[in-house]
Amino acid sequence: MTENPTRYPRPDRFSRARRLPPWSLVAAGVLAGGLLGGAYGVLKAPTYTATSYVIAVPTEHSDTASALGFAQAYGRVATQLAVLGDAQVAAGVPVDTLRDSVRTATSPDAPMVAVSATSARPAQAADMANAVARALTRHANDTKAATHVELLQFSRALQPTAPTSTSAGVTALVGASAGGLLGGLVLLVRPKRRPEQEPVRSASVPGPSIAADARGQL
């Protein structure tokens, strides 16, 4: 009589994960996230930002409130195609680059517009900010007879000396935080430990000779 060998249950795909201590998933996530974030900060090219300021001044037929309102409007107009198209020659870059790199900001308390440009080259950042500020000033002053508000350059953009992009230390910290959070989520959805199961034995089956003897006795 022959018997089939003992069959053991196949370990599922989470068996190794169950044997790991709970804190190891979080630690692995923090380590991996920190390494990836730090590498991103080191390999990513630094960027520089330069800012030029223009101010809206009321004429003798206007007041400060009107100048403040037009400053808000000029802040929105500065990134439009009409202004960027005039600024591209002085900036030395195409309109698409200006559209992606230039941002404006206004204040609710002061009739001033900040024109900021970001680039991988400090000199180019300053050139773009100044070119857009000058183009905006020209467009605004073409209609000052109707608006009674004059736009003047308050401060030119200077070439930045330090990058404004995130440092490698900060990106490593952000990556470590994200990795730790991901590790914690994996820990929450990890299957719970189960009691060890006994090996499953298959029922013995009579061999061919025993089966033949049994048929002869019938």
Side-chain angles (χ1 to χ4, degrees):
M1 182 177 62
T2 60
E3 293 184 359
N4 291 339
T6 302
R7 296 179 182 178
Y8 294 93
R10 295 181 180 179
D12 57 30
R13 66 183 66 180
F14 298 108
S15 59
R16 292 185 179 180
R18 294 195 194 101
R19 290 194 295 268
L20 293 174
W23 58 264
S24 63
L25 293 176
V26 179
V30 170
L31 180 60
L35 291 176
L36 291 175
Y40 174 80
V42 171
L43 298 177
K44 185 178 182 295
T47 55
Y48 300 83
T49 302
T51 303
S52 178
Y53 296 91
V54 294
I55 187 170
V57 180
T59 63
E60 58 183 6
H61 300 292
S62 185
D63 54 22
T64 304
S66 297
L68 182 60
F70 275 104
Q72 303 292 326
Y74 292 146
R76 293 188 290 269
V77 171
T79 55
Q80 299 301 312
L81 183 60
V83 177
L84 299 181
D86 290 348
Q88 63 178 336
V89 176
V93 296
V95 173
D96 290 340
T97 302
L98 290 176
R99 185 183 293 111
D100 295 336
S101 305
V102 175
R103 298 291 181 269
T104 60
T106 57
S107 171
D109 302 319
M112 187 174 292
V113 181
V115 181
S116 301
T118 302
S119 174
R121 293 184 294 170
Q124 188 178 72
D127 290 342
M128 289 191 296
N130 288 325
V132 174
R134 286 194 297 267
L136 177 63
T137 301
R138 288 195 301 269
H139 275 266
N141 291 338
D142 286 343
T143 59
K144 69 178 181 179
T147 61
H148 305 293
V149 173
E150 184 179 8
L151 202 61
L152 302 175
Q153 188 166 20
F154 183 79
S155 175
R156 293 183 69 256
L158 300 178
Q159 181 173 325
T161 57
T164 54
S165 53
T166 308
S167 65
V170 174
T171 57
L173 182 60
V174 173
S177 301
L181 178 60
L182 183 60
L185 293 176
V186 173
L187 184 61
L188 290 176
V189 301
R190 190 181 66 163
K192 303 297 183 181
R193 288 181 178 271
R194 299 176 181 176
E196 294 294 334
Q197 298 180 356
E198 294 293 333
V200 179
R201 293 181 177 272
S202 60
S204 22
V205 179
S209 58
I210 299 178
D213 297 340
R215 284 197 301 270
Q217 295 176 0
L218 293 177

